[in-house]
Amino acid sequence: MYYLYILYSAELDKYYVGSSSVSIASRLQEHLYDHKGFTGRAKDWELKYWESYPSKGEAYARERQIKRWKSRKLIEQLIVD
């Protein structure tokens, strides 16, 4: 399985959209404790949303779709629905 996930950091007041073949729990731990780049800037990331897909291509396509929105409002709407 492959996963699309959305994390939120209250410290940064930002969302992070990603995809992975690693379990969501394991991936979250990587973001919290051993990550460089954007998510390394905060240590309070929490999982807000996820979807599963049978292929890497589908999960990555969904990640790109959400990132193209460039809209916090749409991401928050997706999380609530």
Side-chain angles (χ1 to χ4, degrees), residues 2 4 10 14 22-23 26 29 33 35 37 52 63 73:
Y2 295 85
L4 167 281
K14 299 278 185 185
V22 177
S23 76
S26 295
Q29 292 305 310
Y33 299 109
H35 205 268
S52 61
E63 175 187 348
K73 183 178 178 180

Side-chain angles (χ1 to χ4, degrees), residues 41 58 65 76:
R41 296 174 24 198
E58 289 172 287
Q65 177 189 36
E76 289 174 344

